[in-house]
């Protein structure tokens, strides 16, 4: 509208109404396709499609709730932002309320609990936010969430069903987790047929056995869990015991506290599959087309037995994979090759070291600045970092002691992990900006251009998506240029790219 500011960046929630979800599933079934499990999965699948025109035709809805950046306007309160949204033609939730009294807020929450089944979308609670922007600024933000907002969840929806069987799943880090296979039951509009049992102690504490009648809940209306046993029709049911040997590779299992662990590492097919998927995931090295089905085939056919084997794959070998065409196999090959000069923090996270998530990987990278420094770090040096405790230090020391050869093999295959400056991530000008490169640049190799972006806090990926901020187009950019135009991604030639880097470096 004419009243909207010249530059406006907003945060919103995209969702798929229940009626639209049922219609989409009906059409999928009529076309011989598998139906979506729930509106959340369906919505995520639709939004991730590359063609924006295809997404635009879907019956999605949206509620705006926050301003990220706004030129020429300032607001003293969150409520005033919500009020101006309607003037700009932006939808907000009709259930937004402002309260000064805790008891009235509690009463409103109870009112929504009774209304939740009548809504055309799922909710699992309310979010309470401080209205004053001045107080919000003083409180600040944690790594993943603000200190001025808190979620007040509803009690999860529950149903009763039969626990048909308890099986054991082997995770990426080798931890064995018991999983309940259930007689399918509808819980809040979603068919649930399996639920995690967390660990052996949890199974023993709840005394769960096969064929028990159990109460199922979806924690946060999403993750299914077994709440309790209701009755035991089979009085002779045997107690559950964790296996002595790994169900994936038959290696003898070891126990650490509450956890049973397969120590075979990448020699275990289940761990190898999980590690490969994690290595190529969006938050790790973001390798296009290295999804679950591709990884499954690479491991089953013996084409990949370790991380280094990824870098030994040839395009003609990838032709043997099902579901692949020449375009996809070339994209996978190029995406793998594009990760040969990863930034230190992303590489650390990609390795899947136990207890090392994305945030800790970043802290370690900023503290030690190079992979060699981290590999040589003693237990005491690691413990000197405030965020590192005994278990984390032990995990890091053990990982690098046991995986020296694997890391050396990666280096021989051409993987050069890039150093980071101490404290590099704080306030970087290109933080969270996503770049894609296509075509050849005159003054940069592909890896040099990607590194320049990452040094300033940005992220280089190999394919255009709805999250892409810039396409840097060199000579003969190919199909990515058309995809970028389709997605309305900002396109930079080399001159504009160099200007952007210069401007960002000047402010860092």
């Amino acid at each position: 509208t004419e009243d909207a500011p010249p530059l406006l960046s907003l945060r919103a929630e995209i969702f798929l109404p229940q009626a639209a979800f049922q219609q989409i599933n009906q059409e999928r079934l009529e076309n011989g396709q598998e139906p979506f499990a729930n509106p959340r999965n369906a919505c995520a699948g639709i939004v991730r499609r590359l063609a924006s025109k295809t997404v635009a035709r879907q019956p999605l809805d949206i509620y705006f709730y926050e301003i990220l950046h706004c030129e020429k306007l300032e607001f003293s309160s969150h409520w005033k932002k919500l009020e101006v949204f309607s003037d700009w033609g932006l939808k907000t939730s009709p259930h937004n309320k402002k309260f000064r009294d805790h008891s009235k807020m509690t009463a409103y929450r109870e009112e929504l609990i009774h209304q939740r089944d009548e809504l055309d979308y799922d909710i699992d609670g309310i979010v309470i936010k401080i209205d004053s922007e001045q107080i919000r600024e003083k409180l600040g933000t944690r790594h993943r969430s603000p200190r001025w907002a808190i979620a007040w969840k509803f009690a999860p929806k529950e149903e009763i069903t039969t626990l048909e069987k308890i099986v054991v799943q082997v995770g990426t880090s080798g931890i064995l987790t018991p999983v309940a296979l259930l007689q399918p039951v509808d819980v809040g509009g979603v068919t649930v047929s399996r639920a995690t049992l967390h660990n052996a102690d949890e199974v023993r504490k709840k005394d769960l056995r096969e064929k028990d009648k159990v109460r199922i809940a979806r924690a946060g209306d999403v993750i299914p869990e077994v709440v309790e046993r209701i009755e035991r029709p089979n009085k002779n049911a045997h107690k559950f015991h964790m296996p002595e040997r790994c169900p994936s590779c038959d290696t003898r299992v070891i126990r650490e506290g509450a956890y049973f662990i397969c120590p075979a590492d990448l020699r275990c097919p289940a761990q190898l599959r999980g590690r490969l998927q994690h290595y190529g995931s969006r938050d790790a090295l973001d390798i296009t087309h290295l999804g679950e089905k591709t990884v499954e085939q690479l491991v089953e056919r013996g084409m990949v037995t370790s991380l280094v084997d990824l870098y030994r794959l040839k395009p003609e070998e990838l032709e043997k994979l099902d579901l692949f065409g020449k375009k996809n196999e070339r994209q996978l090959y190029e995406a793998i090759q594009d990760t040969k000069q990863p930034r230190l923090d992303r590489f650390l996270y990609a390795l899947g070291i136990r207890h090392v998530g994305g945030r800790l990987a970043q802290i370690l990278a900023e503290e030690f600045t190079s992979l060699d420094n981290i590999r040589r770090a003693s237990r005491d040096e690691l413990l000197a970092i405030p965020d590192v405790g005994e278990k984390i230090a032990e995990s890091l020391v053990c990982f690098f002691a046991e995986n020296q050869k694997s890391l050396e093999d990666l280096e021989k295959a051409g993987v050069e992990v890039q150093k980071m400056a101490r404290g590099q991530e704080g306030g970087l000008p290109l933080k969270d900006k996503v770049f894609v490169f296509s075509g050849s640049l005159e003054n940069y190799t592909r890896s040099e251009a990607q590194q320049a972006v990452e040094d300033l806090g940005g992220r280089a990926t190999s394919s255009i998506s709805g999250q892409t901020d810039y396409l840097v187009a060199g000579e003969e950019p190919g199909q990515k240029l058309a995809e970028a135009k389709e997605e309305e991604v900002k396109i930079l030639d080399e001159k504009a790219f160099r200007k952007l880097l210069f401007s960002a470096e000047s402010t860092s």
Side-chain angles (χ1 to χ4, degrees), residues 233-473:
N234 181 8
K235 305 300 181 185
N236 299 317
H238 297 293
K239 286 186 178 180
F240 170 77
H241 296 284
M242 291 294 283
E244 294 182 355
R245 309 191 77 87
C246 172
S248 178
C249 67
D250 203 39
T251 300
R252 183 168 289 279
V253 171
I254 60 174
R255 182 162 189 178
E256 291 183 8
Y259 298 104
F260 289 77
I261 300 169
C262 169
D265 199 53
L266 297 183
R267 299 187 307 277
C268 172
Q271 291 183 67
L272 176 59
R273 285 193 293 268
R275 196 73 61 86
L276 288 170
Q277 280 183 248
H278 176 74
Y279 191 78
S281 65
R282 185 182 293 272
D283 291 334
L285 297 193
D286 195 20
I287 301 176
T288 307
H289 296 303
L290 193 66
E292 182 180 352
K293 290 182 179 179
T294 304
V295 165
E296 188 77 32
Q297 291 179 66
L298 289 172
V299 173
E300 279 187 357
R301 301 181 186 194
M303 297 167 68
V304 173
T305 59
S306 65
L307 290 179
V308 73
D309 284 346
L310 278 178
Y311 297 97
R312 294 170 178 159
L313 289 169
K314 295 179 173 58
E316 55 268 24
E317 291 180 290
L318 297 175
E319 292 178 15
K320 302 172 185 175
L321 300 180
D322 298 334
L323 309 175
F324 263 64
K326 278 193 173 295
K327 179 181 175 181
N328 286 348
E329 74 206 18
R330 172 56 63 176
Q331 286 179 340
L332 174 56
Y333 176 77
E334 290 177 352
I336 293 170
Q337 298 305 308
D338 284 347
T339 65
K340 281 190 171 180
Q341 291 189 310
R343 202 172 68 189
L344 176 57
D345 56 342
R346 293 176 71 85
F347 182 72
L348 274 178
Y349 175 67
L351 288 175
I353 304 169
R354 196 172 170 207
H355 304 308
V356 178
R359 174 61 180 160
L360 183 57
Q362 180 183 312
I363 290 169
L364 291 167
E366 292 175 8
E367 181 67 28
F368 290 100
T369 72
S370 76
L371 182 60
D372 282 343
N373 288 343
I374 298 175
R375 287 166 67 174
R376 290 195 297 264
S378 67
R379 181 176 167 279
D380 290 340
E381 287 174 317
L382 291 165
L383 287 171
I385 301 171
D387 296 82
V388 176
E390 293 279 353
K391 286 185 177 179
I392 295 172
E394 184 68 25
S395 176
L396 283 161
V397 170
C398 287
F399 178 87
F400 287 115
E402 294 169 359
N403 290 278
Q404 285 187 41
K405 186 176 185 308
S406 295
L407 293 171
E408 288 169 2
D409 288 343
L410 285 170
E411 289 174 1
K412 290 175 184 176
V415 177
E416 299 177 13
V417 182
Q418 303 302 297
K419 294 181 180 180
M420 285 177 63
R422 186 177 291 273
Q424 176 173 320
E425 276 293 297
L428 289 177
L430 296 182
K431 190 172 188 332
D432 298 329
K433 297 296 182 184
V434 179
F435 288 73
V436 172
F437 296 87
S438 184
S440 58
L441 301 175
E442 184 180 349
N443 296 291
Y444 302 87
T445 64
R446 177 68 60 85
S447 59
E448 286 171 345
Q450 290 176 341
Q451 190 60 48
V453 164
E454 291 178 347
D455 284 345
L456 292 165
R459 184 154 66 92
T461 65
S462 56
S463 61
I464 300 292
S465 73
Q467 285 73 48
T468 306
D469 295 291
Y470 299 98
L471 170 73
V472 180

